[in-house]
Amino acid sequence: MAFYPDTTATALRNRLAKLYDISADEIITANGADNILTLLISAYINAGDEVIYCIPTFPSYRSTTLLMGGVPVEVPLTKSWQFDLDGIFSKITAKTKLIFICNPNNPTGTMVPSDELKIFLEKVPDHVQVVLDEAYIEYRDQEDYLTGIVLHKKSYPVIVVRTFSKFYGLAGLRIGYAVACEDVLEPLLRIREPFAANRIAIEAAVAALDDEAFGRDHLLEVKKGKDYLTKELSRYGFEVVPSQTNFLFVNLKTDAVNVFEQLLSKGIIIRPCAPWGYPEHVRISVGTQAQNEEFTKAFSLIATQCINELMADGGRK
Ligand SMILES: Cc1ncc(COP(=O)(O)O)c(C=O)c1O
């Protein structure tokens, strides 16, 4: 480990290039997808530039835009938590520089249908870059879905952001990447720190791509766990949004922070969605079957309490 990492992460970019049948020059790696997003916004946004995205979504689009003096332009998801691409389109101005589509979306787990996305991309003006944040794309249900990388290969103007933190389980190593045309990535390369990904992360990412059996088993486990948790949560009448990710967005119809705290005291962590403006929603990550069962056991006691409170409240919701 006395040697510095390869600044260009050639081994990983070559492996990804082979996987997607693209040039390594169309790939840039960094210290997690978070770092890629920061590079993108830093490279493209100056004071007063506008960045459009749907809410609720991944918070760093907003925070990094503000940091750069940009203007976040927020369009609510529809009532069924779908993307409002028409709404986004209607907000484009001469000052719009970036549009973020978190696909599938964190925290709702919902996804833009391919056909809608293609129509949208065809009409977005040239001065706007569309970023598809595909941190959870490996968990989608439809195998034939037109991912951002397929769209890029079909010459749609997109910047695709990916990570090894989710499906590949390497969150602690910090490695992510972007795929786009070389000239679109060039401004990011100019501001990226020299050693944006460490040696262990680069080697682990290559090994993770080679381990196809792990990927298959993991997908099956998540799918099974998602079905199991959806069934358990629905049993209590909680609204579970169908998810294309490894987490569920659930309306508990009660103070979700209270439920979070009770579970925390039992060593179980879920994510209350109050910071997104949804005080009764939580995001629950799918674990191993043993973890999912431990969660449902602890949750069943709390859920019964919630239901009793709701009944006492005269079925307020
Ligand atoms: C939608 C989305 N994009 C990007 C990231 C950042 O991922 P990374 O761990 O690679 O920085 C996350 C992490 O939660 C995410 O949910």
Side-chain angles (χ1 to χ4, degrees), residues 233 238 250-273 279-284 295 298-307 309:
L233 290 158
F238 298 125
V250 187
N251 186 352
L252 297 179
K253 301 177 186 176
T254 187
D255 175 14
V257 173
N258 178 30
V259 176
F260 157 76
E261 277 165 0
Q262 290 188 60
L263 285 169
L264 188 63
S265 71
K266 296 179 169 34
I268 296 169
I269 300 177
I270 59 170
R271 179 82 193 257
C273 296
E280 301 195 338
H281 281 76
V282 286
R283 195 189 61 193
I284 301 172
F295 163 79
F299 183 75
S300 67
L301 296 171
I302 302 166
T304 311
Q305 266 172 35
C306 291
I307 289 163
E309 274 167 31

Side-chain angles (χ1 to χ4, degrees), residues 39-236:
L39 289 171
L40 264 170
I41 297 172
S42 311
Y44 279 99
I45 299 303
N46 292 314
D49 289 341
E50 294 171 3
V51 177
I52 315 177
Y53 50 86
C54 274
I55 50 167
T57 196
F58 191 54
S60 81
Y61 313 147
R62 177 184 171 80
S63 54
T64 316
T65 298
L66 289 173
L67 201 65
M68 295 308 295
V71 181
V73 178
E74 303 186 331
V75 178
L77 292 174
T78 67
K79 281 204 172 68
S80 53
W81 312 105
Q82 301 303 315
F83 284 81
D84 180 3
L85 294 182
D86 288 340
I88 291 183
F89 189 75
S90 72
K91 298 283 183 193
I92 295 176
T93 70
K95 289 186 180 168
T96 308
K97 287 283 171 58
L98 292 174
I99 292 175
F100 282 95
I101 299 179
C102 187
N103 200 38
N105 189 43
N106 177 4
T108 57
T110 44
M111 205 166 172
V112 188
S114 285
D115 292 351
E116 283 179 30
L117 189 53
K118 279 201 298 186
I119 294 168
F120 175 76
L121 291 171
E122 273 156 20
K123 60 184 188 181
V124 168
D126 291 345
H127 70 279
V128 181
Q129 303 283 352
V130 179
V131 183
L132 300 176
D133 182 344
E134 297 190 336
Y136 298 92
I137 194 75
E138 292 87 354
Y139 296 106
R140 70 192 182 280
D141 281 342
Q142 292 164 263
E143 260 185 45
D144 58 352
Y145 186 84
L146 292 185
T147 64
I149 289 171
V150 175
L151 291 169
H152 163 71
K153 286 171 71 173
K154 288 181 184 285
S155 300
Y156 283 90
V158 287
I159 304 174
V160 188
V161 178
R162 297 270 183 112
T163 179
F164 283 90
S165 294
K166 314 295 177 184
F167 176 78
Y168 295 103
L170 300 181
L173 291 183
R174 312 304 305 132
I175 181 116
Y177 62 99
V179 171
C181 292
E182 200 180 339
D183 60 323
V184 172
L185 295 179
E186 197 269 335
L188 279 70
L189 280 175
R190 265 189 276 150
I191 57 168
R192 190 183 62 173
E193 63 196 85
F195 303 110
N198 68 73
R199 293 175 74 91
I200 300 174
I202 293 169
E203 288 203 18
V206 173
L209 291 171
D210 288 338
D211 192 352
E212 288 176 14
F214 169 83
R216 275 195 302 274
D217 292 351
H218 176 58
L219 265 191
L220 281 177
E221 183 174 50
V222 168
K223 167 106 189 54
K224 218 174 107 197
K226 213 156 49 169
D227 291 346
Y228 168 79
L229 287 175
T230 302
K231 207 167 114 210
E232 288 295 316
L233 290 158
S234 304
R235 245 171 10 108
Y236 299 100

